[in-house]
Amino acid sequence: MSAKDSMAKEYFADNARFADLCNNVLYGGREVILPENLMERDTTEVLTALEFDKKTIAVQKLRDIFKNASIKYTGKSYVVLIGVENQSDIHYSIPVKNMFYDVMAYGNQVKETAKKHRREKDIATSDEFLSGFTKEDKLIPVITITVYLGIKEWDGPRKLSDMFGDVDEELLPFIPDYRINLLAPREITDFTGFRTSIRQLFEVLQNAYDKEKMQEVLHNDDKFSSVDRETVEAINLFAGTDIDIDEKEEVIDMCKAWEEQKNEGRELGREEGREEGRIRQAKVTALKLQKKGHSIEDIAECVDFDEETVKKWLVS
């Protein structure tokens, strides 16, 4: 598992951030899903089937995050299963990937229901015996949200049909489609609905490609003067910034840190030239990431130098 995958899972698994994310994607920012009403579920999806020779085969997939949400809304109570899949890069077959996760989650519900009926021996008809699922049995809805943590614009498919070639239009009504629930920072138009520091993460990712816009965002949003350590670490990893983090600090003033970083960059540029300054800054970043346990591959990707060069820096 890469450093980005590991950090994304840990970061969004926090119930407060998970609820904030879901509320913005599913309820337009209204505080409907509460952190205390979320419960972890096993992220392993296993689906078994019989081959032609009647041998049992099992397919296993690991979701990033999967939680049970109890929702009280409009005077009613609901239960829904919500999965989050993090993508640091654009995935050009994401509808198939997510659809497979959802199908496995529904298949497992049917399988567990059938087990219960066999155990209790309460199947009444041959129709029910065939599927192990009765007319009264119900499935819990499954929702999968894709969180894109890259700084480029998402140009991947948003539904299964985007992956098709030419199709006879008369056949389209008979072909089931599957739409992904995508959150891409470059597409967010209103950040006011976010109640946790994922707002700062997404704002930086939206503007990371333009340093002037980044500076404007940092200075116009007071929330950047007090950002939790985990979010700053996520910003550094996903946006490629190098905000200095004091090991003793749990809350960081990103506005101040950004200005200090800029001033250091100017000084490096004057002393050693633009390219020498870039290399020196990359070495500093590489050493910091090594201390945090990141692999050579991930460090090289983060500082934008080849792995051999990074290895030489770290052993010298």
Side-chain angles (χ1 to χ4, degrees):
M1 184 186 299
S2 73
K4 288 183 176 180
D5 289 338
S6 179
M7 176 170 281
K9 287 182 180 182
E10 183 178 346
Y11 185 77
F12 286 107
D14 173 80
N15 274 1
R17 296 187 189 116
F18 189 93
D20 195 17
L21 173 71
C22 293
N23 283 328
N24 275 273
V25 173
L26 306 176
Y27 289 103
R30 298 190 302 281
E31 202 169 7
V32 176
I33 298 174
L34 304 178
E36 59 267 29
N37 293 334
L38 293 169
M39 185 173 64
E40 295 285 341
R41 286 184 67 97
D42 188 356
T43 58
T44 305
E45 299 282 14
V46 180
L47 197 60
T48 57
L50 289 176
E51 289 186 304
F52 290 115
D53 58 3
K54 295 188 178 181
K55 289 182 179 179
T56 301
I57 58 171
V59 179
Q60 177 174 301
K61 291 289 184 181
L62 288 173
R63 281 182 176 267
D64 286 346
I65 308 167
F66 201 35
K67 293 181 186 277
N68 187 105
S70 298
I71 303 171
K72 294 180 180 179
Y73 189 55
T74 62
K76 295 183 178 180
S77 296
Y78 309 92
V79 176
V80 64
L81 304 179
I82 305 176
V84 167
E85 296 301 314
N86 301 299
Q87 291 296 143
S88 54
D89 298 298
I90 298 170
H91 195 306
Y92 290 103
S93 63
I94 195 68
V96 173
K97 177 186 176 185
N98 286 1
M99 182 172 62
F100 195 41
Y101 282 136
D102 292 355
V103 167
M104 292 182 79
Y106 285 124
N108 282 330
Q109 289 185 56
V110 171
K111 183 177 69 175
E112 290 304 314
T113 301
K115 278 185 183 178
K116 179 175 177 291
H117 286 309
R118 284 198 299 271
R119 189 168 57 247
E120 298 178 359
K121 298 180 180 180
D122 58 357
I123 293 291
T125 69
S126 58
D127 295 330
E128 293 173 345
F129 183 81
L130 179 66
S131 63
F133 205 79
T134 71
K135 190 175 180 179
E136 288 73 30
D137 290 327
K138 303 298 178 186
L139 293 171
I140 300 174
V142 179
I143 298 171
T144 297
I145 297 171
T146 298
V147 180
Y148 173 51
L149 296 167
I151 61 175
K152 298 188 296 184
E153 289 189 11
W154 178 273
D155 64 356
R158 295 168 187 266
K159 55 184 183 298
L160 184 63
S161 57
D162 289 341
M163 299 175 64
F164 296 159
D166 291 334
V167 179
D168 185 344
E169 288 191 7
E170 288 190 50
L171 296 179
L172 288 177
F174 304 97
I175 303 173
D177 208 348
Y178 178 91
R179 176 180 56 82
I180 66 170
N181 303 300
L182 175 70
L183 190 150
R186 291 282 291 272
E187 297 174 6
I188 299 173
T189 57
D190 183 6
F191 290 92
T192 59
F194 291 101
R195 291 175 167 80
T196 68
S197 55
I198 64 174
R199 168 177 174 166
Q200 283 73 56
L201 171 61
F202 292 147
E203 281 192 281
V204 170
L205 288 174
Q206 184 179 84
N207 296 283
Y209 70 98
D210 188 324
K211 288 188 176 180
E212 288 186 7
K213 286 187 176 180
M214 176 91 90
Q215 182 169 337
E216 184 180 339
V217 166
L218 290 174
H219 286 283
N220 289 343
D221 188 342
D222 292 339
K223 292 185 181 296
F224 278 103
S225 63
S226 179
V227 184
D228 65 271
R229 180 192 190 89
E230 288 181 338
T231 297
V232 177
E233 289 176 346
I235 287 171
N236 278 343
L237 186 58
F238 295 112
T241 56
D242 187 30
I243 303 297
D244 193 40
I245 304 173
D246 190 316
E247 291 184 2
K248 298 178 182 178
E249 293 181 345
E250 291 301 320
V251 177
I252 291 89
D253 185 339
M254 278 194 62
C255 306
K256 180 181 177 182
W258 179 260
E259 285 301 320
E260 289 175 351
Q261 184 189 42
K262 278 177 55 184
N263 292 335
E264 288 174 6
R266 291 193 193 100
E267 188 63 30
L268 282 171
R270 283 194 292 267
E271 290 177 357
E272 304 173 10
R274 189 177 301 275
E275 182 59 19
E276 289 82 0
R278 186 174 82 89
I279 293 172
R280 181 174 169 180
Q281 191 64 48
K283 286 181 179 179
V284 172
T285 302
L287 288 168
K288 288 180 180 178
L289 292 174
Q290 184 191 40
K291 288 180 181 178
K292 294 177 181 178
H294 295 302
S295 68
I296 297 290
E297 181 183 357
D298 290 328
I299 295 171
E301 181 184 349
C302 185
V303 299
D304 200 23
F305 279 87
D306 63 84
E307 292 182 28
E308 286 303 315
T309 300
V310 171
K311 283 180 184 177
K312 290 177 183 177
W313 293 346
L314 298 178
V315 297
S316 61

